[in-house]
Amino acid sequence: MKKVAVIAAGQTPFGTHNGKGMKGLFQEAVEDALASVDYQIPLNKTNEVYIGNLGAGGSQLGNPAALIVEHLGLVGVSARRVENACASSGFAFRDAIHAIRNGADMAIAGGIEIMNDLNSGHQRYWLGVSGDTEWERTAGATFSGIYALMARRHMYEYGTPREALAQCAVKNHENALNNPMAQFRKAISMDRVLSAPMVANPLGLFDCCPTSDGASVAILVSEDLVKEITDDPVWVLGSGAATDHLAIHDRQKITELLATRKAADQAFKQAKVNISQIDFAEVHDCFTIAEILAIEDLGFFEKGKAASEVLNGETSKRGKIPVNTSGGLKAKGHPLGATGTGQIVELFKQLTNKADKRQIANASIGLAHNVGGSGATCTVHIMGKGV
Amino acid sequence: MKKVAVIAAGQTPFGTHNGKGMKGLFQEAVEDALASVDYQIPLNKTNEVYIGNLGAGGSQLGNPAALIVEHLGLVGVSARRVENACASSGFAFRDAIHAIRNGADMAIAGGIEIMNDLNSGHQRYWLGVSGDTEWERTAGATFSGIYALMARRHMYEYGTPREALAQCAVKNHENALNNPMAQFRKAISMDRVLSAPMVANPLGLFDCCPTSDGASVAILVSEDLVKEITDDPVWVLGSGAATDHLAIHDRQKITELLATRKAADQAFKQAKVNISQIDFAEVHDCFTIAEILAIEDLGFFEKGKAASEVLNGETSKRGKIPVNTSGGLKAKGHPLGATGTGQIVELFKQLTNKADKRQIANASIGLAHNVGGSGATCTVHIMGKGV
């Protein structure tokens, strides 16, 4: 299997970008990627572009991929939009890997979402209908409600304390203090999380990620081309992807995401590394319970055992397995289609020792975990430096 | 480069499917594909699913790929939606080819659109915003208006007679008489086309494809797996894809689609065949002028010279290069996201000698040409039998 290198990754700040459209915002992410490295990138060698996006937006609602590559000065290049709800750009990244292994010299994988401009799109509507529509939505179950059910069951089965959920938010806000691209750069206390207005019991306001505008991008090249650009790229070691029943009532358990387990299993097999070799991870914490599920399902902790580790600080920057050093969806922000490649940006920054104050010492292998819906779609990617 | 085989292809009838949702409709296309061959297909070996779809619909508007594979009994399998306006499933097919060349055993590429259920989705709205939104749509330019501009300019520059456009519709309706899956199985006369109500001068009602519900699917397998299934599959010989400026005012010419030329160039190079070896073609005739542009841009005829050939019957079933033996978008129907793999269905049927009354004698290489927007996205695929 051909090797795939990631030679740059960048993003816009996640947050509110009043009045900006898809073209300009995506361009900003590409410019940030180009500026993230000290070598020149021959972007005109791009053969394929994959753009993760849930509800389009800005102005171009259908066929946006062509418009975006045109604006990048890459008119003519093969491009498409990839949609898998909040896992859209995780899949865009996966399909870009396929393209490189298939013979492309260079591919761009990115994601974009504009959620805060209510005049221009349907993003919030579409977000609402990315869980199961036939059973869950018609019964009034929103994503916060569905994840609240998972949280309640997890607490019931494993005695998971409410504080362990809250600690994920506290830790992610702390991490985001050092991420200039994060939406919330503001510490929050455990008390504040516990006393916040309730959204869906037991999940309060600070257990839920925000709505965000933003774009993110990763530039992938073949083993042949990378030699002309840099001696020391980041490598894609493994890619895994899976689906699951959309409606959670169809699943055997609601205290795990089976798609995460399957995608992780594929990614680890392909990467030929084991869980103990992972130095840090970006996981899909759309709600705090989702971070607990993720770190268990990925295999960092046994099912039901993550809570105490989280409370002991083992997922903090100084812990056994730093999780969401970027701030995660909770504090970095969650512009749906941009989240998957946004995680790749953090892996790239950590692996190239460019994460500034949030840098983990000796980070050589990282993992990114992106989820769509309430676990219906999932990708896991493992990337490494000097390996 | 690994070889990719297509071992089955099928579709629902294109037309109106009152009350059916995405799951059931896609399943029908898969069942048609499985029934299209006399060998067993181990669908459980599927590693990747690519579903072309513009506006979702039925019920599941976001994250539909997971729901569709769940309904197929393939829960867990990696799947995503691919969106490039009306070229969505052309790109789904291309990305499935990449997956097989990347090591997958089996991949499903398909497309689906539900356009006629106005209660359930946004398809017509999304269709309307798949051309350029910033300049064209705000000025009132619809797709029929944009293609009418192309037609007028083509008539002005090359003396293309109105009748040549009409003849594309007459011929495609004639072809559809023999396609039980076609939306319009009804001959139309030249007079009827010429005297039809005007939509956008010079394009009348019969120069425009209909709105349609439908699904289509192709099953792709690796060279290794195909040996266990059949000795005589259809092979993918070449895949090409390109983009262009979304707004036609940005293009050098509006009498050609540059994306078609670029995609064709790639596909022919990869296939190592030349235009004279193509026995038949399915081209994207969303409007009659689009068929004229396509057969010129693909290289079957010189620019400006297609009209007389069309009027001489050279694109009919008995001509030099039969075009749209299925009935094309005009008469077979155009369920946006399902059109690209719908064309692959026709290639598969012709190449496996299963096109019944519309069968072309000795068809060994066919070409499929799928366009999104007014030429902003395009794929070209070349497939062959016994080659």
Side-chain angles (χ1 to χ4, degrees), chain B residues 162-337:
Chain B
R162 170 72 184 92
E163 289 75 10
L165 307 185
Q167 181 55 33
C168 294
V170 171
K171 181 261 297 170
N172 288 345
H173 272 253
E174 190 187 319
N175 286 343
L177 285 172
N178 292 318
N179 186 354
M181 297 299 189
Q183 184 162 0
F184 297 140
R185 276 165 286 165
K186 193 166 150 181
I188 52 173
S189 67
M190 174 72 75
D191 274 355
R192 182 119 192 247
V193 180
L194 296 178
S195 61
M198 191 60 74
V199 173
N201 196 321
L203 305 176
L205 185 63
F206 289 102
D207 290 280
C208 308
C209 70
T211 52
S212 320
D213 305 330
S216 59
V217 73
I219 302 175
L220 300 85
V221 297
S222 66
E223 203 176 353
D224 289 340
L225 181 56
V226 78
K227 290 173 191 156
E228 299 175 19
I229 300 173
T230 172
D231 296 332
D232 195 23
V234 171
W235 295 102
V236 175
L237 305 180
S239 172
T243 56
D244 197 359
H245 297 286
L246 212 59
I248 64 166
H249 68 234
D250 284 322
R251 302 181 192 169
Q252 291 266 323
K253 292 181 183 174
I254 63 167
T255 52
E256 67 172 22
L257 300 189
L258 204 54
T260 298
R261 288 188 180 274
K262 288 181 180 172
D265 191 48
Q266 289 171 30
F268 277 108
K269 277 193 183 133
Q270 198 175 85
K272 299 190 177 68
V273 302
N274 62 54
I275 189 87
S276 67
Q277 292 174 268
I278 305 293
D279 297 310
F280 67 101
E282 288 285 302
V283 310
H284 198 93
D285 62 320
C286 45
F287 300 93
T288 50
I289 181 63
E291 181 162 320
I292 302 277
L293 298 179
I295 58 181
E296 292 176 348
D297 296 335
L298 290 165
F300 292 114
F301 305 106
E302 273 179 58
K303 182 52 67 186
K305 305 282 192 199
S308 57
E309 305 275 358
V310 166
L311 288 168
N312 286 337
E314 298 298 358
T315 55
S316 77
K317 216 186 106 185
R318 296 159 299 280
K320 282 193 275 204
I321 175 72
V323 172
N324 286 332
T325 50
S326 71
L329 282 64
K330 174 66 197 83
K332 183 192 186 187
H334 181 29
L336 317 176

Side-chain angles (χ1 to χ4, degrees), chain A residues 48 79 81 83-84 94 131, chain B residues 48 60 79 81 83-84 94:
Chain A
E48 299 282 354
R81 174 161 78 111
E83 188 271 307
N84 256 0
R94 177 175 173 82
Chain B
E48 298 283 355
Q60 187 63 39
R81 175 161 77 112
E83 189 272 307
N84 256 1
R94 177 175 174 82

